[in-house]
Amino acid sequence: MISTLFESSQVAEAKRLIDEAHHIVIFTHMAPDGDAMGSSLAMWHWIGERQKSRAVEGSVTVVTPNTFPDFLAWMPGSDRVLIYETNSAAADPVIAEADLHICLDFNDPKRIGPVGDKLLQNTCPKILIDHHLNPQEFASVVFSYPEASSTCELVYRLLEQITPSVLTLEIATAIYTGLMTDTGNFSYNSNNPDLYEIIANLLRAGVNKDEIYNAVFNQASADRLRLTGYCLYRKMRLFQEHHLAVISLSHAELKEFHFKPGDTEGVVNLPLQISDVYYSILLREEPAKPGTPNPRIKFSFRSQGDRPVNIFAAEIFRGGGHMNASGGEFYGSLQAAMNRLLQNYPKYLKKD
């Protein structure tokens, strides 16, 4: 039996807001990953089915700040997503006219870039469902549980509390994808027995976990594999006293390998296969946006066992996440970002 996570009053209020709304927009974070897309599409399918069954004349739309990786484009409903970076003219009126916003897998409007300003300009009610630390106060109803494996887990739990046994194959597929990707195929943040009861229910709904794994992890291009080899052979630095591996990639290096979003997915996990490496950090440079002076350096942090990286990510790189899997960012040169990392990691990473 899966334990009940949310207060009944919270669930009732979320249900009321969803049922009374006619035009709903679902948001997720920049550079959407499997959990972001899985939670968004699961909620999109569920609300669409609910509106249809209740004969509600309305709409539900997923808006992402920018594009998602090709290896997630197979997900049912992904072709209906509005990508703000390339289609703001269509997205702006949808966001402005919505009477409910649902925010998934981010804890601060800043994490969705320019879309965050549009979200805040509309004063309609907002529901936040997220598993990152320290959510900002911008939502009417908040489901924030950092202990959860993923936002997809939280979406599953909420849907089950509102309408038990409501899973369609499309909803179950989206949720499983997020669970799988946000736990590194269940290699971290995945020690709660409830998680495997959820997975069993998703399989009963018809999910083919082997097909999903293949669609996500076994569709790499030759350029992506060559980039991975380059990261390990040329770019990995070891700091043995703190059992740390660091990989940094400039925008020029990424261009050499015809980089596409998602091509570095999973690279940060690979150094943890080394017997005495317990921490791994990946830095990736994104070029400066028009009108901004500095490039953005995206950080990915991973660790093993009782060795947190989320505090380091939050306090030094404006990020956060799980104890063993976190992200962050830095605006400035790649060398400046590396300098900040080197100056601070001894204070946060254990030597033993």
Side-chain angles (χ1 to χ4, degrees):
M1 182 70 179
I2 300 169
S3 59
T4 299
L5 186 61
F6 305 132
E7 295 287 341
S8 58
S9 58
Q10 270 186 305
V11 175
E13 179 63 5
K15 178 178 179 294
R16 182 187 70 80
L17 290 174
I18 292 169
D19 287 348
E20 292 182 359
H22 291 274
H23 301 289
I24 299 171
V25 177
I26 298 167
F27 300 91
T28 192
H29 58 74
M30 295 181 69
D33 56 11
D35 192 28
M37 294 303 297
S39 57
S40 298
L41 290 172
M43 186 64 73
W44 180 77
H45 283 292
W46 180 78
I47 292 174
E49 291 293 328
R50 191 167 180 80
Q51 287 181 336
K52 188 187 303 181
S53 68
R54 299 176 67 248
V56 172
E57 291 188 9
S59 64
V60 56
T61 307
V62 175
V63 175
T64 64
N66 52 9
T67 191
F68 47 88
D70 288 347
F71 61 76
L72 298 174
W74 60 270
M75 297 179 70
S78 63
D79 58 328
R80 301 285 300 279
V81 172
L82 266 181
I83 300 172
Y84 192 85
E85 186 175 60
T86 57
N87 204 2
S88 60
D92 280 340
V94 172
I95 297 169
E97 294 164 12
D99 48 8
L100 177 65
H101 290 163
I102 299 179
C103 306
L104 300 175
D105 204 33
F106 66 94
N107 58 2
D108 188 331
K110 293 178 182 177
R111 289 206 63 209
I112 60 174
V115 187
D117 295 333
K118 303 294 182 178
L119 177 147
L120 295 174
Q121 286 168 13
N122 183 337
T123 58
C124 71
K126 295 169 176 46
I127 298 172
L128 171 67
I129 307 173
D130 182 49
H131 68 133
H132 298 97
L133 294 169
N134 306 319
Q136 300 301 300
E137 295 182 5
F138 67 96
S140 315
V141 179
V142 176
F143 299 95
S144 175
Y145 289 83
E147 301 86 359
S149 67
S150 57
T151 297
C152 274
E153 177 186 339
L154 299 179
V155 167
Y156 175 92
R157 289 172 176 273
L158 178 61
L159 301 191
E160 278 290 295
Q161 283 190 241
I162 294 176
T163 49
S165 304
V166 74
L167 289 179
T168 64
L169 178 57
E170 291 80 10
I171 294 171
T173 296
I175 289 173
Y176 184 85
T177 302
L179 296 179
M180 179 187 72
T181 54
D182 231 38
T183 60
N185 200 29
F186 310 104
S187 63
Y188 51 80
N189 303 321
S190 55
N191 214 30
N192 184 346
D194 278 2
L195 176 62
Y196 297 92
E197 293 197 39
I198 291 171
I199 293 168
N201 289 338
L202 299 177
L203 296 176
R204 292 185 185 103
V207 162
N208 187 321
K209 69 178 188 63
D210 299 333
E211 285 187 0
I212 294 174
Y213 181 93
N214 184 63
V216 172
F217 293 115
N218 292 337
Q219 302 300 321
S221 66
D223 282 328
R224 181 180 174 182
L225 286 181
R226 292 188 178 104
L227 174 60
T228 300
Y230 176 74
C231 289
L232 297 176
Y233 183 55
R234 293 289 187 186
K235 300 297 296 184
M236 183 174 67
R237 297 173 60 186
L238 298 179
F239 300 86
Q240 293 179 329
E241 185 179 14
H242 286 82
H243 308 282
L244 168 66
V246 177
I247 297 170
S248 64
L249 291 167
S250 70
H251 179 59
E253 288 171 314
L254 293 169
K255 283 183 66 177
E256 183 180 346
F257 291 93
H258 308 103
F259 174 80
K260 294 188 296 184
D263 277 357
T264 55
E265 189 77 20
V267 169
V268 69
N269 298 311
L270 297 178
L272 296 177
Q273 297 178 25
I274 301 171
S275 61
D276 60 346
V277 169
Y278 308 136
Y279 300 97
S280 178
I281 302 174
L282 173 69
L283 297 73
R284 176 167 59 81
E285 181 185 35
E286 297 177 351
K289 300 287 185 184
T292 59
N294 293 312
R296 175 177 181 254
I297 312 301
K298 180 175 172 57
F299 280 79
S300 297
F301 300 82
R302 296 292 185 271
S303 64
Q304 293 181 339
D306 185 22
R307 300 178 180 89
V309 288
N310 53 345
I311 299 172
F312 186 20
E315 294 186 358
I316 304 301
F317 295 106
R318 306 193 319 176
H322 292 298
M323 181 176 76
N324 298 120
S326 296
E329 62 182 11
F330 177 88
Y331 286 87
S333 70
L334 184 60
Q335 186 58 57
M338 179 63 77
N339 290 342
R340 178 170 291 190
L341 169 64
L342 298 180
Q343 289 163 6
N344 287 280
Y345 82 80
K347 294 185 290 186
Y348 290 90
L349 309 186
K350 298 178 180 179
K351 289 186 178 181
D352 57 343

